[in-house]
Amino acid sequence: MQLPKISVQGFNASFNGKPAVKNLDLEIFAQERLAIIGPASSGKTTFLRSLNRLNDLERGFSHSGDILRDGKNIYDPDIDVAELRRKVGMVYAVPVPLPWSIYDNLVYGLRLAGIRDRATLDNRIEVALRYAFLWDEVKDRLQEPANVLSGGQQQRLCIARVLVLEPDVLVLDEPCSGLDPISTAKIEDALVALKESHSIVLVTNNTKQAARASDRTAFLLLGDLIEVGPTSQIFTRPTQKRTNDYLVGQFG
Amino acid sequence: MKQDKIIGAILLLVALSAISGLGLITVFIFREGVPIILRLGARQFFLSTDWEPSLGKFGILSMIGGSLAVTVGAAAIGVVFSLGLAIVLTQFSPPGLSAALKPLIELLAGIPSVVYGFVGVVTLVPLIRHTLGGPGLSVLAASIVLGIMILPTITSIAIDALQAVSPTYLEGSIALGATRWQTVTMVILRAARSGIVAAVILGMGRAIGETMAVIMVAGNALEVPHSLLDPVRTLTSNIALEMGYASGAHRQALFATGVTLFVIITLLNIAALGFSRRRPARSRVG
C-alpha cells in the first residue's frame, strides 16, 4: 500500500462554534480522483477549503485534528500558507477569472511565486493550457480579456491558472455546476489526464458525475463521513443504508 | 388616482423650480462675468498676475496658481490618508470597527469650515512658522487643512468603490498563493481604480471650491507661490475678500473669477463622472 498524499486524521471544523465537519478520517492518494458527495450543508465545501486553508479567511472558523500532506501537518505554524495554496490548487463552482487578460490571469500565481523569466512563464502556460484542453482555443488570443471567454472556457482557464503552479493536489468545488454537458465532458476528460500526476478531490452535487469521474467516492452527511470506498462499490453495493438512501434520492 | 396626479404635478413643479433656480444663478454669474473677460481679452485676464482693481488691472494668474497649488497639495495629503483609511476599513478591520469608524469619518464632513480654519490658525500656522520658517500662513498650511477637510469625501467614495469589487476576486487571488496585501495592491485596487480616481477628482473639486478655511490659513498674498511656505490667495478667497466693497468693473471681474471657478469645478465633476462610469474590465499586461 502506498503512502497517502493527504491524510486527514480526526479533523473537526466549525464556524462560530457550529460544527461543519466532525471527526473526519480520510486518506487521499496520489493518482486518484476522490469524489465527495452529500446533500447541502454536509460539510463538503468546508472540508475542501480546509485542504488549502482557505477557511482561515472566515471569521469564527476553528478546527482541531490534523491534515497531513506528505506526512506534514498543514496547520503547523511553520507552514508557508501561500506555498501550500500553490501546491493544493483550488477551482471554484463559479469561474472567477480576475478582471484582466487571459495571459495575466495565467501568470498571476507564478509572478506571486517570484517566477518572472519569460520563457519559463510561456512554457508553463502552454503546458497548463494543453492539460486543460484550452490551448487550441486561446493560443492566439492570450491578450484578450478573460471575461470574453464562454463559461466553460473560463472554468478551464481557472483550472489552467492553477495548473501553471504545478500543484500536486487539485481540489474542485462543483466545477461543472454551471456548465453545459459538452463543457462538463471536457473538464471530466481533463481530470482523467490530470490524475496521472495529481491527486484530485472533486466535490459534486451531481452523483452521476461522481460515478463517471472518480475512482473512489466519499459520502458526507451533516458533517459526518458515512462511507468511503471504490466508486463502483459505493454506487452498486453501499454498505450503509443512508448512502443508499441518498443515491436513490430518498433525501438530499 | 386624481389625487396622485395632483401630487405628482406639485412635486414636479418643486423639482423644476429648484433646478431652474440653479440655472438662473448660472446665467446670472455668466452674464455678470463674461463681458469683462471679453473686454480685457482672455489673455489679459487669465495670464496676467497684475490684480490692482483701483488701476483697472484685473489679472487672476496668481490666484489660479494659488488655487492649483493648494488643491494639488490637499489632494496629495487627502489621497494618502483617505486611501489608507478606505483600504483598512474595507479589507483589514473587523466589521465592528468599520461600522464604528465610518460614521465618525462622515461626521468630519459636518464640521463647519470656519472651525477647521480656526484650528489651523491656532495650531498649524504657528507650528509651521516656528519649525519651517516663513509666515506660517502658507500653501502648506492650506493644503493640510484642506487635505483633512476632503478626507470624508474621498474616503467614503473610495470605500464604495472598494466594496463594489467582487469578493470572489479576493478568494480567487488568495487561493493562487497571494497574501492579503498582495491581493489588495494587485487585484482589488486595480479593479477599483476608476472609482478611486473619481473619488480623488471629486475631493479636488471640494478643495478648489473651499473658501473660509483657506482665507484663514493661506495668507492671501497676491503672488504666484514659489515654495510651500509662501502665502497665496485662491480664486475663492479673492471673491470672498473683495466682494463686500467692489463695484463696477471690479465687481464684474470678481464675477469673472467666479466663472473661472465654475468652469474648473464643472470640468472636474464631468471627469469624475466619466471615471466612475467606466467599466474596469480591461487591462494590459503589467
Side-chain angles (χ1 to χ4, degrees):
Chain A
M1 193 72 181
Q2 58 176 333
L3 280 173
K5 182 72 198 170
I6 287 180
S7 174
V8 182
Q9 300 174 351
F11 187 76
N12 294 280
S14 60
F15 294 100
N16 299 314
K18 198 164 161 272
V21 171
K22 298 175 215 156
N23 200 23
L24 186 68
D25 290 300
L26 189 61
E27 291 182 331
I28 303 162
F29 296 93
Q31 299 188 330
E32 80 161 347
R33 295 165 302 167
L34 173 69
I36 298 180
I37 58 172
S41 71
S42 56
K44 307 184 299 279
T45 298
T46 300
F47 169 64
L48 209 60
R49 288 161 60 93
S50 297
L51 295 176
N52 66 350
R53 290 185 57 175
L54 212 59
N55 282 328
D56 294 13
L57 296 180
E58 309 287 334
R59 288 178 206 287
F61 171 74
S62 62
H63 69 91
S64 64
D66 294 336
I67 296 180
L68 306 181
R69 174 173 165 264
D70 293 326
K72 170 93 178 144
N73 189 354
I74 63 167
Y75 283 94
D76 277 353
D78 63 332
I79 284 283
D80 177 351
V81 181
E83 178 65 17
L84 171 75
R85 289 179 184 145
R86 283 193 268 274
K87 290 303 165 194
V88 181
M90 175 124 192
V91 176
Y92 295 93
V94 180
V96 279
L98 294 165
W100 310 330
S101 69
I102 296 170
Y103 184 86
D104 282 355
N105 265 280
L106 289 163
V107 296
Y108 178 58
L110 291 170
R111 289 206 173 118
L112 291 171
I115 297 170
R116 303 199 168 262
D117 175 55
R118 187 70 192 236
T120 311
L121 295 178
D122 288 351
N123 181 34
R124 292 246 205 140
I125 284 172
E126 182 173 345
V127 171
L129 285 174
R130 284 189 189 282
Y131 257 126
F133 294 133
L134 192 59
W135 173 250
D136 289 331
E137 290 164 57
V138 302
K139 65 181 175 193
D140 297 321
R141 47 195 286 219
L142 291 174
Q143 301 305 332
E144 285 182 28
N147 57 16
V148 304
L149 297 173
S150 73
Q153 288 173 327
Q154 288 190 19
Q155 190 60 297
R156 279 177 283 143
L157 174 67
C158 288
I159 294 176
R161 185 174 74 174
V162 164
L163 291 177
V164 293
L165 299 168
E166 300 183 343
D168 42 30
V169 181
L170 277 179
V171 298
L172 303 99
D173 188 1
E174 298 176 39
C176 304
S177 60
L179 301 184
D180 62 273
I182 294 171
S183 298
T184 301
K186 282 188 176 170
I187 285 174
E188 287 172 7
D189 287 346
L191 295 184
V192 173
L194 283 166
K195 81 162 195 171
E196 296 307 318
S197 44
H198 301 80
S199 305
I200 295 171
V201 185
L202 172 69
V203 161
T204 178
N205 272 329
N206 178 344
T207 50
K208 284 188 185 130
Q209 179 173 50
R212 271 195 312 265
S214 71
D215 305 308
R216 284 195 308 148
T217 297
F219 174 55
L220 288 186
L221 181 63
L222 298 172
D224 290 308
L225 175 65
I226 305 299
E227 180 169 6
V228 59
T231 298
S232 53
Q233 176 240 310
I234 294 280
F235 278 87
T236 52
R237 288 168 276 111
T239 58
Q240 300 290 317
K241 182 175 180 302
R242 283 174 294 180
T243 311
N244 191 54
D245 289 349
Y246 177 66
L247 290 175
V248 299
Q250 300 231 332
F251 63 85
Chain B
M1 278 333 232
K2 198 171 174 197
Q3 203 182 11
D4 278 358
K5 272 189 185 158
I6 296 171
I7 291 173
I10 292 173
L11 287 177
L12 186 69
L13 200 69
V14 171
L16 283 181
S17 49
I19 293 171
S20 59
L22 210 62
L24 283 175
I25 292 173
T26 311
V27 169
F28 180 70
I29 294 172
F30 274 78
R31 209 192 60 190
E32 292 289 310
V34 171
I36 194 167
I37 301 178
L38 297 176
R39 201 168 71 235
L40 294 170
R43 200 184 153 83
Q44 179 64 34
F45 185 71
F46 293 115
L47 298 179
S48 158
T49 57
D50 280 336
W51 177 269
E52 288 179 61
S54 54
L55 303 177
K57 290 183 174 172
F58 303 106
I60 61 167
L61 183 64
S62 54
M63 299 154 212
I64 293 178
S67 277
L68 284 184
V70 165
T71 303
V72 170
I77 291 166
V79 166
V80 171
F81 287 99
S82 312
L83 211 52
L85 256 172
I87 290 172
V88 167
L89 290 185
T90 55
Q91 311 293 326
F92 293 101
S93 71
L97 186 65
S98 323
L101 276 182
K102 208 176 163 207
L104 277 181
I105 294 163
E106 273 152 16
L107 203 65
L108 281 178
I111 299 174
S113 63
V114 67
V115 174
Y116 283 99
F118 183 67
V119 174
V121 168
V122 172
T123 61
L124 195 59
V125 168
L127 187 72
I128 291 173
R129 185 162 56 227
H130 291 135
T131 54
L132 299 171
L137 300 161
S138 58
V139 175
L140 182 62
S143 297
I144 293 172
V145 169
L146 279 179
I148 296 169
M149 289 180 71
I150 63 176
L151 216 117
T153 307
I154 305 184
T155 307
S156 64
I157 301 173
I159 283 177
D160 292 342
L162 288 170
Q163 282 175 340
V165 175
S166 165
T168 58
Y169 292 164
L170 172 70
E171 288 219 336
S173 169
I174 297 271
L176 288 169
T179 62
R180 193 81 195 230
W181 178 243
Q182 285 170 324
T183 303
V184 168
T185 55
M186 296 168 78
V187 179
I188 295 176
L189 283 180
R190 260 169 87 180
R193 186 173 40 194
S194 53
I196 290 170
V197 171
V200 173
I201 294 174
L202 283 174
M204 289 174 78
R206 278 213 60 193
I208 204 167
E210 173 51 38
T211 313
M212 196 61 221
V214 181
I215 291 179
M216 293 170 78
V217 299
N220 306 319
L222 272 168
E223 55 187 48
V224 177
H226 296 285
S227 99
L228 284 177
L229 301 176
D230 284 347
V232 286
R233 180 181 293 197
T234 63
L235 293 164
T236 50
S237 324
N238 192 49
I239 300 172
L241 287 168
E242 300 192 359
M243 193 50 103
Y245 60 85
S247 62
H250 185 193
R251 185 164 172 275
Q252 289 183 332
L254 292 179
F255 270 103
T257 312
V259 169
T260 312
L261 259 175
F262 187 97
V263 170
I264 293 175
I265 293 176
T266 305
L267 289 178
L268 283 174
N269 282 340
I270 291 172
L273 208 64
F275 271 106
S276 63
R277 279 189 186 158
R278 209 163 73 182
R279 297 297 309 144
R282 281 168 192 260
S283 81
R284 36 164 234 100
V285 178

